[in-house]
Amino acid sequence: MPSGLLALAVGGFGIGLTEFLIAGLLPQVASSFAVSEAAAGRLISGYALSVAVGAIVLTAATARLPRKQVLVGLVVLFVLGNLLSAIAPSYPVMLWGRIVAALCHGSFFGIGSLVARSLVAPERKSRAVAVMFAGLTVANVLGVPFGALVGERWGWRAAFWAVTAVGLLALAGIIACVPGRAGTTPTTQPAPPTRLRAQLGAFRSGQVWLTLVATALGYGGMFGAFSYIAYTFTEVGGFSSADVAWLLMVYGVGLVVGNVIGGRAADRDRDRTLLLALAALTVTLAVFGLLAESATASVVLVFLMGVFGFAGVPGMITRVTDHAQGAALAAGANVSASNIGNALGAWAGGLAITVGLGYTAPLYVGAGMVLTAVAVMAVAARQDRESVLRR
């Protein structure tokens, strides 16, 4: 395994901490700033929307720069944002810290995915992307429960100080391990577009748009349910607040398993893998809503939620970049789409709770979103297959 992939995984681990850590700390943060559950939830949706903006703007602005230099600059931005969150004296400052940290997220994973796939043979590209995203999934196994435990003992600010330290470690790893010319195209292959107009041309592909929509709905449905999972566990399942840490670890193990399986399966049959993962996630979320009062069922289903929720991520990224001829802007747009979905899912889940539908409502909302993603992905797969047969 190229050492550069491991360095990217460390960066993904730090960013994963920032994105998901807040879910386990949401009640503490809300209490600390004396804001409502819905307002605290905006620390999640605001982050997701900022990721969507940053993924497009920063990727477009840096398309012609060396990709290693771009990755280093993005991690610096990440460190500054988390530092601001750690010292935030008020809710608005905390929100701004989340926004600053979020701006680097989409571009890091978008550009990082292109760098990762350039480090391995073409037939292993989905697995290479899965290695980079392994840091994101491991963040849920080790980082998020650790953050919840740190927050329980030393306060939520200590958790963000820890994230800042991880960011500095990731910065050192990328500087030392990612090759300077990583992400460049071999001379035997057509170079991907770098000018903004040429990159925008990749969005004339209907397959690119269908994949982006499926990404937004599929990942957004899962994350919308996850955003309020701490309340589902404690208010419906009867778990204590201290149990949330290990329950999030179970979910994180599911993400790791799904990432590995999904990356390998996508290299064999990508569209089939994506359809099966989305369909299985739909069923899991719906059944979770029905059985959330059962402690045993909750543990099993939150694990499966992680497995099927992340099994499609490596395939979605390679699918959109393949149809966009390797355009960096399309890679960033895929991350942007997932976070637009995240924001929509978190907003819809919070709205369902606010109107009195209960703490299982985000699970049903998520199931509906993912079911729509199944339909979109089915259309994309059929059109792609017909296009291949016509050639």
Side-chain angles (χ1 to χ4, degrees):
M1 182 185 300
S3 60
L5 284 180
L6 298 178
L8 292 172
V10 173
F13 175 72
I15 292 176
L17 286 178
T18 299
E19 181 174 19
F20 297 114
L21 185 75
I22 193 67
L25 298 172
L26 208 60
Q28 294 183 40
V29 174
S31 176
S32 176
F33 291 126
V35 297
S36 66
E37 297 165 353
R42 285 195 284 273
L43 294 173
I44 296 174
S45 58
Y47 181 96
L49 288 174
S50 299
V51 170
V53 173
I56 299 297
V57 174
L58 293 184
T59 302
T62 60
R64 305 188 69 180
L65 299 177
R67 287 175 175 169
K68 178 177 179 177
Q69 292 182 18
V70 175
L71 290 174
V72 169
L74 293 172
V75 177
V76 170
L77 191 64
F78 165 81
V79 170
L80 293 175
N82 282 285
L83 179 62
L84 183 59
S85 293
I87 63 175
S90 64
Y91 173 80
V93 176
M94 174 71 174
L95 183 58
W96 274 111
R98 295 282 292 167
I99 290 172
V100 171
L103 290 175
C104 79
H105 181 129
S107 291
F108 180 88
F109 282 112
I111 295 172
S113 66
L114 296 175
V115 171
R117 59 185 290 170
S118 75
L119 299 176
V120 300
E123 64 272 13
R124 298 176 63 88
K125 58 189 177 184
S126 291
R127 274 173 278 187
V129 172
V131 170
M132 184 190 70
F133 274 88
L136 182 65
T137 59
V138 170
N140 286 272
V141 179
L142 301 178
V144 175
F146 171 75
L149 290 172
V150 169
E152 193 76 25
R153 178 165 297 186
W154 293 294
W156 62 266
R157 293 182 188 276
F160 279 94
W161 279 111
V163 174
T164 302
V166 172
L168 292 172
L169 179 63
L171 179 62
I174 290 172
I175 291 173
C177 299
V178 174
R181 292 182 57 82
T184 57
T185 304
T187 56
T188 57
Q189 299 178 14
T194 56
R195 293 183 180 276
L196 180 58
R197 179 175 296 180
Q199 292 205 59
L200 290 173
F203 293 93
R204 288 195 293 265
S205 168
Q207 286 293 322
V208 168
W209 283 106
L210 288 170
T211 307
L212 292 177
V213 172
T215 296
L217 292 170
Y219 201 65
M222 186 270 289
F223 195 77
F226 176 78
S227 298
Y228 301 94
I229 201 70
Y231 294 112
T232 305
F233 286 140
T234 57
E235 302 299 325
V236 181
F239 293 98
S240 68
S241 58
D243 289 327
V244 172
W246 69 263
L247 288 166
L248 291 177
M249 182 176 290
V250 172
Y251 171 79
V253 171
L255 292 180
V256 173
V257 173
N259 183 54
V260 173
I261 294 175
R264 290 180 177 274
D267 279 333
R268 293 193 294 269
D269 191 331
R270 186 167 56 198
D271 285 356
R272 179 184 175 87
T273 298
L274 296 176
L275 282 168
L276 289 175
L278 290 170
L281 179 59
T282 301
V283 174
T284 298
L285 291 174
V287 173
F288 198 169
L290 293 172
L291 302 180
E293 293 182 358
S294 168
T296 302
S298 293
V299 174
V300 174
L301 289 165
V302 78
F303 171 75
L304 294 177
M305 180 177 159
V307 172
F308 299 126
F310 222 84
V313 171
M316 285 291 191
I317 292 176
T318 58
R319 192 179 201 281
V320 76
T321 51
D322 280 351
H323 284 288
Q325 288 76 49
L329 190 58
N334 188 77
V335 181
S336 178
S338 68
N339 282 274
I340 289 173
N342 290 353
L344 178 62
W347 171 80
L351 179 63
I353 292 174
T354 301
V355 300
L357 297 180
Y359 289 108
T360 61
L363 292 164
Y364 295 119
V365 171
M369 290 180 66
V370 181
L371 181 60
T372 308
V374 173
V376 173
M377 191 63 232
V379 171
R382 187 184 69 249
Q383 290 183 357
D384 202 17
R385 185 167 56 251
E386 292 174 350
S387 176
V388 172
L389 291 175
R390 286 195 297 266
R391 292 173 187 170

